[in-house]
Amino acid sequence: MSLAYKDRKIAAPSISPDTKAFWDGCAAGKLLLKQCEKCQELHYYPRPSCPFCGHGETKWIESKGTGTIYTYSVTRRVEVPYCFAFVTLDEGVTMMTNIADCDLDSVRIGQRVRVVFKPTDGGPPVPMFTPA
Amino acid sequence: MSIKGKAYIAGAYEHPLRKAPDKTVAQLHYEVAMGALADAGLSKSDVDGYFCAGDAPGLGAFSMAEYMGLKLRHVDSTDTGGSAYLVHVSHAAQAIAAGKCNVALITLAGRPRSEGSSGLVPRNFGPAPDAPFELPFGSVTVNRYGVSAMRHMYQYGTTSEQLAWVKVAASQHAQHNPNAMLRDVVTVEDVLSSPMISDPLHRLDCCVVSDGGGALVVVSPEVMRSLNRPRIKLLGAGEAPKHLNGGKMDLTLSAAAWSGPTAFAEAGVKPADIKYVSIYDSFTITVVIQIEDLGFCEKGQGGRFVADGNLISGVGKLPFNTDGGGLCNNHPADRGGMTKVIEAVRQLRGEAHPAVQVKNCNLALAQGTGGSLGTRHCSATLIMERE
């Protein structure tokens, strides 16, 4: 079996002042994460406060953009099938994403992937991943 | 303060309709409310506490209180998705124990079938902070459970055949329920040959979409003694949310791992004591994961546990969802918690269909997770005893 990845129309994500840097990063081809100024833990999705220790200051750091597929589900009974997935970045946080630019039937848990940015409908691109 | 022995379920009612295009949601709430009160032998004027969740139209509990003409001294519109009605039973018991009400009415109703709901369409829960990081990736109900199932298979060797046994057991029960939406008995092969919706979940791994609703009446011990119904006593309850935890999570685990032990500790019983379970079956994987997390088997062994008919009443060790569950009977308002409590009450009363009634069913557990296993959900566990 094979199921070629196809681009689908993606609604623009809504941007707030506290996440604008993330989306500007995507537009510049960079995947940004948040790190707590106090306990140093990384988290995702990005927040101005730390969900672990509760500290109110966090800073942006740039991810290498590489990781491993934690889990996935190819959603098939829709107009354009897609691979819904969670990728664990090498920095240690796991993020919701899609797997793109490959045979979707070849996707496996544990597979190495790297970030690619896919356009949205009138908004910044969003981070997806493709086999490394 | 414990709820143990402080409250009883006196009334339970499941709407017989599975498609209700000509009724409003408010009307369905009214009909199930009257059904549950009649079942208890109570009337509307006896109700002094009212509980509902996000399926109730209008603002919190007030709009339905107005529609039905309820005079109340306690309201609670806690919404934890499909598990809300189990949470409501627990909160009603707490309110009764604290003297805030004596007769608590809980209602659920909806028309997702008439309104065209689907597990493949994004549901808008408003401007949640997670939404910009999830909606672009096509996060919908069925793939949010698919990712949990895939990881469970990877980590524990669970198979599609094992998951299919959950549906097979539900269908064995549903054949005896004249109101069930799907009454045909299915085989493992039927499940595996049904269309793949989102890996690894086939169509028959998914629950039905149905209109309808249900209601419960929870009362104080004094009120229960005045009624001519079997006494279904609440022994223990637990509730717990689980979420993506800043990107450090285990998607093979449900919050039943936390709500379950809380409920068992309060009830003072063990999983091995339970005669019947109602487990929210949004998908087959949901049942497997919750059974593990409640301690009915070791973590990771749920697939093996549910296989070969182990959930079928009269056949297996842990009879479950003897009404046919969400997989075959009913999933009103896309929220499966209410019908779980109702069938547990039927079993404890000895009022389940004779073909699926568990013998000497004196202790039952109802379990639900509202939300999604693959993102965020709230688990609720109830343990009940026939007095």
Side-chain angles (χ1 to χ4, degrees):
Chain A
M1 282 199 310
S2 79
L3 181 64
Y5 168 82
K6 275 169 65 179
D7 282 325
R8 62 198 166 86
K9 193 170 174 177
I10 296 171
S14 61
I15 300 170
S16 55
D18 58 332
T19 59
K20 184 173 182 300
F22 177 88
W23 299 111
D24 288 347
C26 289
K30 293 175 181 176
L31 178 61
L32 299 184
L33 305 173
K34 273 292 186 102
Q35 182 172 31
C36 178
E37 294 272 21
K38 191 175 173 192
C39 76
Q40 307 300 318
E41 282 282 328
L42 298 176
H43 70 261
Y44 190 89
Y45 59 91
R47 277 153 258 192
S49 56
C50 175
F52 299 108
C53 76
H55 187 63
E57 286 170 84
T58 58
K59 65 183 177 199
W60 294 104
I61 65 152
E62 186 179 347
S63 165
K64 287 186 291 179
T66 51
T68 305
I69 296 176
Y70 171 73
T71 187
Y72 70 95
S73 177
V74 178
T75 305
R76 297 174 186 273
R77 302 285 288 188
V78 288
E79 199 179 331
V80 181
Y82 58 96
C83 182
F84 179 69
F86 283 89
V87 164
T88 303
L89 296 171
D90 290 341
E91 289 84 2
V93 291
T94 301
M95 60 183 283
M96 185 187 289
T97 186
N98 286 169
I99 307 301
D101 299 335
C102 64
D103 172 10
L104 299 184
D105 280 336
S106 74
V107 171
R108 294 292 176 265
I109 291 174
Q111 201 171 355
R112 293 288 298 165
V113 289
R114 63 178 168 82
V115 72
V116 289
F117 293 92
K118 291 289 179 181
T120 62
D121 193 15
V126 294
M128 295 190 182
F129 288 80
T130 191
Chain B
M1 186 181 74
S2 168
I3 63 158
K4 188 174 183 177
K6 303 283 177 58
Y8 292 75
I9 300 180
Y13 180 77
E14 181 180 11
H15 205 289
L17 291 184
R18 300 292 177 267
K19 192 164 192 186
D22 302 323
K23 290 180 186 287
T24 67
V25 173
Q27 188 179 5
L28 291 167
H29 274 271
Y30 165 81
E31 289 177 5
V32 294
M34 292 307 123
L37 287 166
D39 179 57
L42 291 164
S43 67
K44 184 168 79 78
S45 59
D46 295 314
V47 175
D48 59 356
Y50 177 59
F51 297 69
C52 63
D55 54 282
L59 176 63
F62 326 137
S63 301
M64 284 313 305
E66 178 180 12
Y67 182 92
M68 295 193 277
L70 300 175
K71 189 167 187 302
L72 305 169
R73 58 190 184 103
H74 189 82
V75 291
D76 182 337
S77 47
T78 302
D79 196 359
T80 62
S83 61
Y85 320 94
L86 293 96
V87 171
H88 291 165
V89 171
S90 171
H91 289 191
Q94 292 171 30
I96 289 166
K100 302 297 182 186
C101 60
N102 287 314
V103 176
L105 171 67
I106 306 166
T107 64
L108 156 100
R111 310 187 319 142
R113 192 175 176 197
S114 291
E115 292 164 6
S117 175
S118 159
L120 288 167
V121 175
R123 290 164 77 183
N124 184 5
F125 294 108
D130 45 80
F133 302 92
E134 299 189 357
L135 292 179
F137 304 111
S139 170
V140 294
T141 306
V142 62
N143 60 28
R144 286 196 297 262
Y145 284 83
V147 288
S148 279
M150 289 297 276
R151 185 70 198 182
H152 201 276
M153 289 175 160
Y154 174 84
Q155 218 163 300
Y156 298 116
T158 309
T159 66
S160 287
E161 288 79 3
Q162 291 167 346
L163 295 185
W165 271 107
V166 177
K167 170 73 174 184
V168 170
S171 78
Q172 285 284 340
H173 299 148
Q175 66 176 318
H176 305 293
N177 181 351
N179 293 325
M181 198 165 143
L182 306 176
R183 294 189 68 193
D184 289 342
V185 171
V186 302
T187 63
V188 167
E189 291 68 34
D190 291 334
V191 178
L192 300 186
S193 63
S194 66
M196 186 65 83
I197 307 297
S198 193
D199 301 349
L201 301 175
H202 307 79
R203 178 176 286 157
L204 297 189
D205 286 299
C206 306
C207 67
V208 301
V209 175
S210 55
D211 299 345
L216 295 162
V217 180
V218 182
V219 303
S220 66
E222 293 71 30
V223 172
M224 190 72 242
R225 280 193 286 274
S226 73
L227 301 173
N228 187 28
R229 289 300 269 146
R231 296 177 185 173
I232 310 305
K233 183 163 74 178
L234 288 163
L235 291 187
E239 62 193 60
K242 180 176 176 281
H243 47 67
L244 293 178
N245 191 38
K248 297 176 184 181
M249 68 290 200
D250 176 356
L251 294 186
T252 67
L253 191 74
S254 76
W258 306 320
S259 69
T262 302
F264 279 114
E266 187 170 36
V269 301
K270 303 181 300 296
D273 301 326
I274 301 292
K275 301 279 180 61
Y276 165 81
V277 291
S278 284
I279 309 262
Y280 190 0
D281 51 344
S282 48
F283 298 91
T284 50
I285 184 65
T286 325
V287 174
V288 168
I289 286 179
Q290 290 175 102
I291 280 177
E292 293 172 351
D293 293 340
L294 290 169
F296 288 104
C297 64
E298 269 181 56
K299 187 67 195 172
Q301 297 298 310
R304 289 161 196 84
F305 183 85
V306 302
D308 304 323
N310 205 29
L311 302 178
I312 300 173
S313 185
V315 174
K317 283 191 201 139
L318 190 67
F320 100 125
N321 297 6
T322 40
D323 60 333
L327 287 167
C328 296
N329 171 31
N330 197 8
H331 191 228
D334 297 330
R335 290 161 172 261
M338 173 62 76
T339 47
K340 297 299 160 290
V341 184
I342 293 171
E343 183 66 7
V345 169
R346 289 192 192 107
Q347 280 287 351
L348 289 168
R349 286 173 170 176
E351 293 177 355
H353 189 283
V356 297
Q357 176 67 50
V358 175
K359 287 194 187 77
N360 306 316
C361 187
N362 62 336
L363 195 62
L365 179 147
Q367 165 65 33
T369 49
S372 296
L373 291 190
T375 52
R376 52 199 66 80
H377 62 265
C378 186
S379 173
T381 310
L382 290 177
I383 299 174
M384 296 154 273
E385 179 185 49
R386 188 188 63 227
E387 195 171 74

